[in-house]
Amino acid sequence: FFTTLIIGFFFIIKRKHFYNVFKTSILVSLISTLILIYDNIYRPDASMYHLPYTKIINDSKIIFGISNIHFRFGHTSILQYLNANFYNLIFGEKGILMPAAIIFSSIILYFFNQILNNLKKDKIYMLFVFLLFSYVLYGYNRYSEFGNDTTAHLIFLLICTFLVKANFKKKIDGEKFSKILLLSLFCFTLKTSLILVFIIPSYIFLMYFKKDYIFNYTNIFIFLFIFIWFSKNIIVSGCLIYPIEVTCFENLKWFSNDTIFNISPKFQSLDNQAWSKGWSNYDGDLSREDYIKNFFWVKVWASVHGLLILKKLSIFVAILIILFFLFYNIDHKKIDVDKKINKEILFLSLLAALGVSIWFLRFPLFRYGSSYIILLIVILTTIFFAKFNFEYKDEIKIKKYINISLLLFIFLFVCKHSLRIYKNIDNSQWPRFNSKNYLHPEFKSDPVIIDNKIIYYQNRGGFGCGYTSSPCTPYDIKDVKLVIKNGYKFYYLKD
């Protein structure tokens, strides 16, 4: 399949673009290798459900009610399907580790290219992308921290740059609109908590409506994919969006409201919200439901997660302050800020503020809402820079300072990963995805046999299953029933 795509690509690409494509491919490969080699997988989520679900995709047809043996299988990401497609003859099962690294590498190269190409053109847009680029290199640079969340946040920030750029170009045609809509759909299927991303194509549709926003072939694929994705969700969990209870179909046989094994969407939604608000750090006798009421949780959350978020953001804020004083020393003149800050940037500031508000009220873990927070900080900084010091008489100086900053960020990025590689040089070159860590043996999954039939596999160590026998779960669920019809597996919980 991949060979056919590669051969077809060489036939359709124009000769003049071949060098650029080849050069970009080499750079993406080098960056991906740098962040992958001698690193680790995202723990514990990768071994708990990312890798086990990827294994299920590669081993089986779609399984009805698979969330009944592991509730996390109900809200897996499209990234697991992308990972599964990278199992190939060249890399074997190790290929499933590559997509997140490739997405990260491609996006930072795009940001870098946009900065260099707009140094003398759209300076506000260039500054906006430059600040996003600086955070991505600092905050999203470790492969071992690449869960479903980081990849989704990267796509969300990429879509925001498309919107700002489109305004400066004064052109959002049907092709660009479809690209933004398609990426918004991809972002949502990566992480449903980023559902606000759909406000961006909705805004474009209302503000710049054109007929080709609706009538084009890409949109046919988009609507078909939406139908397929939600159908998949119903098949695996009985819900359009698990664990949002209002989207579930309780009359489906494989849907479960079980409370014994905590599979019910209502419990999972409550549990996820409580844990996000510091439930694990609470030493009291309140129930989860009472704990999250009336902002009782804020004090506990602030003492742990709040401090971690401040620590995470403090370095980035320090970088912004240094950049401000660096640029402020350049000769500048007064500008009309209202003309430079377009309505798209103001719109994104409102979107970011809404996202941060919902994030704080519902699931205030940094990894769940980091793109909302970073977008808000970057936009406010962009407006601040524009107001005080971002129209320069000396174009050579601004280019010089930007280039020096870019080289410094890249140098620190390479040094950080080189040091990590040096420290782990005796370990496996590929991230180990079938072991608890570098010092432990591989995961072992034992078959669970009911009525002389293997129902599922279980890892009894409590660390998850990794990429082992499937379907696999760390939970002991004895009341599950497996029925096979026309080659499809159906998991029910016994009455």
Side-chain angles (χ1 to χ4, degrees), residues 441-454:
E442 293 186 350
F443 286 117
K444 287 189 66 177
S445 299
D446 302 321
V448 175
I449 301 174
I450 301 176
D451 297 331
N452 297 320
K453 181 169 58 176
I454 296 177

Side-chain angles (χ1 to χ4, degrees), residues 361-475:
L361 293 173
R362 295 292 298 177
F363 40 83
L365 283 180
F366 185 72
R367 68 186 182 93
Y368 287 166
S370 63
S371 58
Y372 293 138
I373 300 171
I374 298 308
L375 178 63
L376 184 60
I377 293 174
V378 166
I379 287 177
L380 293 178
T381 305
T382 301
I383 296 173
F384 183 79
F385 273 38
K387 182 174 178 62
F388 285 97
N389 66 324
F390 205 66
E391 186 72 16
Y392 303 103
K393 297 176 182 178
D394 194 338
E395 298 287 352
I396 296 177
K397 284 187 178 180
I398 178 60
K399 184 176 181 180
K400 176 182 176 181
Y401 278 103
I402 290 292
N403 286 336
I404 290 173
S405 300
L406 287 174
L407 289 175
L408 179 61
F409 288 146
I410 294 171
F411 175 74
L412 293 175
F413 174 78
V414 173
C415 285
K416 180 179 180 180
H417 284 281
S418 298
L419 180 62
R420 174 187 54 77
I421 291 170
Y422 176 76
K423 289 182 177 180
N424 295 286
I425 198 69
D426 294 329
N427 297 324
S428 169
Q429 293 178 348
W430 288 87
R432 293 192 178 185
F433 54 93
N434 277 333
S435 61
K436 298 169 188 175
N437 56 48
Y438 290 127
L439 302 178
H440 286 73
E442 293 186 350
F443 286 117
K444 287 189 66 177
S445 299
D446 302 321
V448 175
I449 301 174
I450 301 176
D451 297 331
N452 297 320
K453 181 169 58 176
I454 296 177
I455 305 300
Y456 60 89
Y457 293 85
Q458 182 184 7
N459 178 272
R460 303 182 189 277
F463 292 94
C465 301
Y467 195 80
T468 57
S469 303
S470 72
C472 182
T473 177
Y475 304 115

Side-chain angles (χ1 to χ4, degrees), residues 277-390:
K277 294 178 176 178
W279 168 258
S280 60
N281 305 111
Y282 170 64
D283 186 18
D285 54 4
L286 290 178
S287 66
R288 287 175 173 83
E289 192 170 3
D290 291 332
Y291 172 76
I292 64 177
K293 284 182 178 179
N294 302 322
F295 293 96
F296 176 86
W297 55 272
V298 172
K299 185 177 180 180
V300 179
W301 173 88
S303 65
V304 182
H305 294 300
L307 290 177
L308 290 175
I309 293 172
L310 287 177
K311 183 179 178 181
K312 183 85 172 178
L313 293 176
S314 60
I315 298 177
F316 181 56
V317 172
I319 292 173
L320 297 180
I321 294 172
I322 293 171
L323 288 174
F324 174 77
F325 284 107
L326 178 66
F327 293 152
Y328 190 77
N329 289 328
I330 304 173
D331 293 334
H332 63 280
K333 59 185 180 181
K334 273 193 170 184
I335 63 170
D336 186 346
V337 179
D338 293 335
K339 291 182 179 179
K340 290 293 179 180
I341 303 300
N342 60 57
K343 60 181 180 295
E344 268 63 48
I345 290 181
L346 296 177
F347 161 75
L348 286 177
S349 67
L350 295 175
L351 174 61
L354 176 62
V356 170
S357 300
I358 294 175
W359 163 81
F360 180 74
L361 293 173
R362 295 292 298 177
F363 40 83
L365 283 180
F366 185 72
R367 68 186 182 93
Y368 287 166
S370 63
S371 58
Y372 293 138
I373 300 171
I374 298 308
L375 178 63
L376 184 60
I377 293 174
V378 166
I379 287 177
L380 293 178
T381 305
T382 301
I383 296 173
F384 183 79
F385 273 38
K387 182 174 178 62
F388 285 97
N389 66 324
F390 205 66

